[in-house]
Amino acid sequence: MQIKRNVLLNPGPATTTDSVKLAQVVTDICPREKEFGDLMEYCATEITKFVGDPKDYVTVLFGGSGTATVEAILSSVVPENGRILIIDNGAYGKRMCQITKIYKLDTVVFESSSIEPIDLKALEEVIKGEKGLTHLAMIHHETTTGLLNDIAAVGKLCATYKISFIVDSMSGFAAIPVDMKAMNIDYLAASSNKNIQGMAGIGFAICNKKALLATESIPMRNLYLNLYA
């Protein structure tokens, strides 16, 4: 069976192959049955293996866009007395800032060029100067310009200053190698429709299990998008 294909030249979703399209033609599976749960668990485990050991990291799946997953992380993991620094060097960094503003999270914005590497010395000075930072969030690969950010270097800074590290890797995941443990990443967001080249509609957050379990006491700011739940 040959399926007509349009070659998509947008940043994502990606053009899908016939094999991906036809893999969906299966007997209906009830989402309340064990078979569905087993399938979800298998997918979550295999996704985790791209970037970390499933003993230490776990993938949480959402029916929603990549932005829904980023919103889930930001709204779920920053405590009421927390403070987050966001690196804004493109459209998706700005979107993170929009999300934290809506949730009224105490946010420090580090503005950087959308085409030049992040000034790590300047970033460290801001981290040292801003008291009470608990989290840092940034984009891995800024889709709008193609800028690849040095998440390993920023991860080292987060380790030094004991800050929880959040990375949006929508257009980096499964194309650019990531080791969450080595890069000190606690939460990584990605989706089904970029480098995995699956169908759009599934976002996922890959989480450090210890960090995720520690968020249990944070009051829920929403229902469906709560990461711990």
Side-chain angles (χ1 to χ4, degrees), residues 2 23-24 43 50 58 92 107 110 127 133 140 158 160 188 193 197 199 203-204 217 226-227:
Q2 190 71 28
Q24 300 175 98
C43 290
F50 275 96
V58 63
Y92 290 98
T107 304
F110 179 85
I127 290 172
L133 288 176
H140 181 191
C158 290
T160 299
L188 184 139
N193 60 316
Q197 296 183 12
M199 304 304 294
F204 46 88
S217 61
N226 183 264
L227 204 55

Side-chain angles (χ1 to χ4, degrees), residues 29-43:
I29 304 171
C30 175
R32 298 289 183 265
E33 296 296 333
K34 183 179 183 299
E35 290 81 4
F36 185 84
D38 290 344
L39 180 60
M40 294 277 282
E41 187 175 348
Y42 169 77
C43 290

Side-chain angles (χ1 to χ4, degrees), residues 199-210:
M199 304 304 294
I202 301 293
F204 46 88
I206 307 172
C207 313
N208 177 308
K209 286 184 179 179
K210 287 182 181 178

Side-chain angles (χ1 to χ4, degrees), residues 51 70 73 96 138-143 148 151 166-178 185 187-191 194-195 204 206:
V51 293
V70 174
I73 295 172
M96 281 184 168
M138 67 180 294
I139 308 301
H140 181 191
H141 178 252
E142 178 52 67
T143 313
L148 182 62
I151 56 173
I166 300 165
V167 174
D168 172 347
S169 188
M170 292 300 154
S171 58
F173 180 83
I176 301 161
V178 170
I185 301 169
Y187 304 96
L188 184 139
S191 64
K194 298 292 195 298
N195 299 308
F204 46 88
I206 307 172

Side-chain angles (χ1 to χ4, degrees), residues 25-189:
V25 185
V26 297
T27 304
D28 293 330
I29 304 171
C30 175
R32 298 289 183 265
E33 296 296 333
K34 183 179 183 299
E35 290 81 4
F36 185 84
D38 290 344
L39 180 60
M40 294 277 282
E41 187 175 348
Y42 169 77
C43 290
T45 302
E46 293 304 306
I47 287 168
T48 304
K49 288 177 182 177
F50 275 96
V51 293
D53 189 332
K55 289 185 296 186
D56 302 314
Y57 298 88
V58 63
T59 294
V60 182
L61 300 164
F62 290 97
S65 68
T67 296
T69 306
V70 174
E71 181 171 339
I73 295 172
L74 294 175
S75 65
S76 299
V77 307
V78 181
E80 292 181 308
N81 61 346
R83 200 161 190 234
I84 184 168
L85 184 150
I86 296 174
I87 297 175
D88 173 6
N89 62 349
Y92 290 98
K94 283 183 172 58
R95 187 169 293 181
M96 281 184 168
C97 296
Q98 285 180 297
I99 292 168
T100 60
K101 183 177 180 181
I102 289 167
Y103 283 96
K104 297 180 172 58
L105 302 178
D106 189 352
T107 304
V108 175
V109 180
F110 179 85
E111 294 187 356
S112 181
S113 167
S114 62
I115 55 174
E116 296 291 337
I118 294 165
D119 184 335
L120 294 170
K121 287 184 179 179
L123 176 62
E124 185 170 13
E125 287 303 311
V126 172
I127 290 172
K128 287 194 291 187
E130 293 287 348
K131 301 302 179 186
L133 288 176
T134 55
H135 294 74
L136 186 151
M138 67 180 294
I139 308 301
H140 181 191
H141 178 252
E142 178 52 67
T143 313
T144 47
T145 62
L147 179 67
L148 182 62
N149 288 316
D150 190 348
I151 56 173
V154 177
K156 283 183 183 178
L157 285 176
C158 290
T160 299
Y161 294 96
K162 295 178 170 56
I163 297 170
S164 185
F165 191 25
I166 300 165
V167 174
D168 172 347
S169 188
M170 292 300 154
S171 58
F173 180 83
I176 301 161
V178 170
D179 182 332
M180 288 183 66
K181 186 174 183 179
M183 294 174 174
N184 194 46
I185 301 169
D186 285 319
Y187 304 96
L188 184 139

